[in-house]
Amino acid sequence: MRLLNATTFEFEEFLGPCPAYAILSHRWQDDEVSLQDMNGDRATGKSGYSKIDMCCREAIKHDLQFTWIDTCCIDKASSAELTEAINSMYRWYQDARVCFVYLSDVEESEVDAQDLDALNTSQFGHKLIAPSVVKFYNSEWKFLGSKQTLIDLIPAITGIHHKMLEGGADPESFSVAQRMSWVSKRTTTRTEDIAYSLLGIFGVNMPMLYGEGERAFTRLREEIMKHSNDHSLFARTIKKEGYRGLLAKSPASFQHSHDIIPSINKLSEVPYSVTNFGLSITLAFMPWAMDTYFVALDCERDDIYDSRIGIYLRLLPERNQSLDGMDLKTFELSNFPLIHLRQTTEVLSRNVWDDRERFLKLKVGDRGTAGRIWYESADKSRYMVIKLGFDDGFNPGDRLTGMCETVQLVAVSISKEVVGGQRMWVVDIQHVV
């Protein structure tokens, strides 16, 4: 580990145990000082030098001879050193005697919720979690408070559990969803850094591959699944339209999952795994709508006794179908099977109806689903009632009952087809002459 001497401003390297040191948490800005700048004569001329100088001064006030600052203590020209640093980052923050959090855009003498909200989007979660002592400073390096004095404010803004902030708690004692939520608001200049910042929190290691983009988070998920059978990894919410898959693509999908914990009573004892065909997982499920299933995860809300988290999964319409994950839901919500009417006559409906798309949504019942279509002859002198019935597996039952008089007006056929990229029952109504 390379440390900066707070008195001489010279670097010293330690291969074994390190002396006590302070560590700096800050928002990267333009004109930061690098390792090469510090070893040359350009450091003092850069705007980023002032926080290095002030960090060293503050370390000396705390009777510490060394500091570690990510801008200048890592040789970023070496990919091997950069990989080692990122994989060791959590431990380095954890081992620091004190962490100075420098809020460069805060000018007030007291920290408030808005200041910490800015911190939440700009700092790594482990910089608040790992160190036992964290102290906040404004743009003038005036002391604002510590992690202990702000213990009520930080969880409300960041979502980090207060037990984690109080110290002594192991990140492994919190669910995957909870830990993801701690950095769900974080933004980074480089997409990969969102995943790399979570390595220490999840206790995993992996090589750095800048340029891989969202693939970094995919690799992180795979590493987590190698060591965990926690279903809260799937307890995410995504507002994006279209196919989204079962797994989240970033921690942002866990913003509302801070209170989701593993269930004590398991519905599935089979561990999940990643294969060359994708995710292999066994889940309890029930039919919910056409090619849509309601799946129960082995996780629940922390403050709701004996609750259960569920998600909707839908079969994709392509060949070699897989399941597409839909938003996180609770058991009380309902869904609707879709029916497409392919006749050319005018439709009068109590439901929302688009004469161009011609979709009829039937609300799901407790023991099945049923709906009625009234069919009128062209001269409006005769009519019939077409009853559409589906069992709890959304298979059609008796589909044609009830006629006015004894005249057969139409021929009805029902088939399962893909319409508009979505599988549904298609009802053909043909007039019988």
Side-chain angles (χ1 to χ4, degrees):
M1 184 179 187
R2 184 184 293 111
L3 296 176
L4 178 66
N5 190 302
T7 302
T8 66
F9 282 75
E10 297 291 334
F11 291 111
E12 298 184 33
E13 296 196 27
F14 301 89
L15 299 179
C18 295
Y21 60 91
I23 201 165
L24 178 66
S25 174
H26 65 107
R27 176 182 292 179
W28 276 58
Q29 296 175 317
D30 296 333
D31 208 28
E32 295 287 2
V33 177
S34 67
L35 174 68
Q36 290 74 21
D37 293 332
M38 289 293 290
N39 288 332
D41 57 0
R42 297 172 296 182
T44 57
K46 290 196 166 186
S47 59
Y49 183 79
S50 61
K51 59 185 166 186
I52 296 177
D53 179 53
M54 292 303 297
C55 178
C56 290
R57 290 172 184 264
E58 201 64 34
I60 293 173
K61 291 180 183 179
H62 286 71
D63 296 323
L64 297 172
Q65 188 62 39
F66 294 95
T67 65
W68 188 89
I69 305 169
D70 56 0
T71 56
C72 63
C73 290
I74 305 173
D75 183 4
K76 299 172 186 63
S78 169
S79 59
E81 182 171 331
L82 182 60
T83 296
E84 180 187 3
I86 293 179
N87 279 281
S88 304
M89 196 77 68
Y90 187 89
R91 177 169 52 85
W92 290 351
Y93 273 87
Q94 191 175 44
D95 293 343
R97 184 69 58 83
V98 60
C99 174
F100 302 137
V101 178
Y102 175 56
L103 303 175
S104 59
D105 52 355
V106 177
E107 299 179 355
E108 296 81 5
S109 59
E110 293 183 1
V111 69
D112 57 20
Q114 184 175 357
D115 299 328
L116 286 182
D117 193 41
L119 171 73
N120 194 36
T121 60
S122 64
Q123 309 287 0
F124 288 167
H126 63 244
K127 296 183 179 182
L128 294 176
I129 296 169
S132 58
V133 179
V134 179
K135 295 188 175 183
F136 299 89
Y137 297 83
N138 68 5
S139 60
E140 300 296 325
W141 280 89
K142 302 297 183 182
F143 179 63
L144 298 172
S146 68
K147 181 165 68 171
Q148 285 69 29
T149 61
L150 300 172
I151 194 67
D152 294 328
L153 186 58
I154 295 176
I157 301 301
T158 64
I160 301 175
H161 201 284
H162 65 89
K163 290 184 179 179
M164 193 70 239
L165 295 170
E166 290 170 353
D170 185 349
E172 292 292 328
S173 64
F174 297 90
S175 72
V176 171
Q178 285 177 305
R179 285 176 277 172
M180 286 288 184
S181 72
W182 296 344
V183 292
S184 61
K185 295 182 181 179
R186 175 166 162 71
T187 58
T188 59
T189 302
R190 305 196 69 162
T191 304
E192 299 88 345
D193 284 334
I194 294 179
Y196 300 158
S197 70
L198 288 166
L199 296 181
I201 292 178
F202 286 100
V204 299
N205 295 291
M206 65 185 200
M208 308 298 101
L209 300 173
Y210 282 104
E212 65 177 332
E214 291 183 350
R215 171 63 184 163
F217 190 74
T218 300
R219 291 197 295 126
L220 173 66
R221 289 196 321 247
E222 293 173 354
E223 289 297 322
I224 293 172
M225 285 189 281
K226 291 178 183 178
H227 304 90
S228 172
N229 194 35
D230 185 353
H231 281 192
S232 72
L233 177 62
F234 312 111
R236 82 293 179 274
T237 301
I238 302 176
K239 298 184 180 298
K240 182 180 178 181
E241 296 294 332
Y243 297 146
R244 292 157 288 182
L246 180 59
L247 295 165
K249 294 185 177 180
S250 81
S253 300
F254 294 89
Q255 187 171 342
H256 304 292
S257 303
H258 62 278
D259 60 346
I260 294 179
I261 61 174
S263 298
I264 297 177
N265 300 316
K266 306 294 184 182
L267 296 176
S268 174
E269 297 294 341
V270 181
Y272 56 78
S273 61
V274 178
T275 72
N276 55 344
F277 285 101
L279 177 66
S280 175
I281 186 170
T282 301
L283 296 169
F285 73 95
M286 60 179 291
W288 196 260
M290 174 65 65
D291 287 332
T292 300
Y293 302 89
F294 188 65
V295 176
L297 301 176
D298 281 332
C299 52
E300 59 190 43
R301 296 286 181 184
D302 190 15
D303 58 347
I304 304 178
Y305 175 74
D306 201 25
S307 61
R308 186 69 62 163
I309 296 297
I311 57 175
Y312 295 122
L313 293 181
R314 176 179 296 157
L315 285 171
L316 299 180
E318 293 83 1
R319 295 179 62 184
N320 300 322
Q321 304 165 3
S322 60
L323 288 171
D324 174 49
M326 301 166 68
D327 282 349
L328 172 71
K329 299 293 183 184
T330 60
F331 278 69
E332 290 73 26
L333 296 182
S334 60
N335 205 342
F336 300 88
L338 281 176
I339 296 174
H340 182 64
L341 303 182
R342 202 156 53 189
Q343 80 275 27
T344 58
T345 56
E346 179 183 3
V347 173
L348 299 177
S349 175
R350 293 182 180 180
N351 298 34
V352 177
W353 176 262
D354 186 311
D355 201 54
R356 180 178 56 85
E357 294 183 346
R358 311 185 76 77
F359 291 137
L360 178 65
K361 292 184 178 182
L362 300 181
K363 189 172 182 179
V364 176
D366 293 335
R367 294 179 176 82
T369 302
R372 293 181 297 177
I373 299 175
W374 290 66
Y375 186 88
E376 254 186 351
S377 62
D379 59 4
K380 301 184 183 300
S381 61
R382 294 173 297 175
Y383 70 92
M384 66 179 299
V385 178
I386 302 172
K387 294 182 179 178
L388 301 174
F390 299 85
D391 61 21
D392 55 7
F394 297 97
N395 300 305
D398 295 332
R399 297 186 294 272
L400 183 60
T401 59
M403 289 185 296
C404 179
E405 303 175 339
T406 58
V407 180
Q408 180 73 36
L409 298 178
V410 295
V412 178
S413 64
I414 299 180
S415 59
K416 184 184 290 188
E417 300 180 23
V418 176
V419 179
Q422 187 172 353
R423 197 182 309 275
M424 63 186 70
W425 292 111
V426 174
V427 178
D428 276 301
I429 304 177
Q430 301 295 332
H431 181 68
V432 176
V433 179

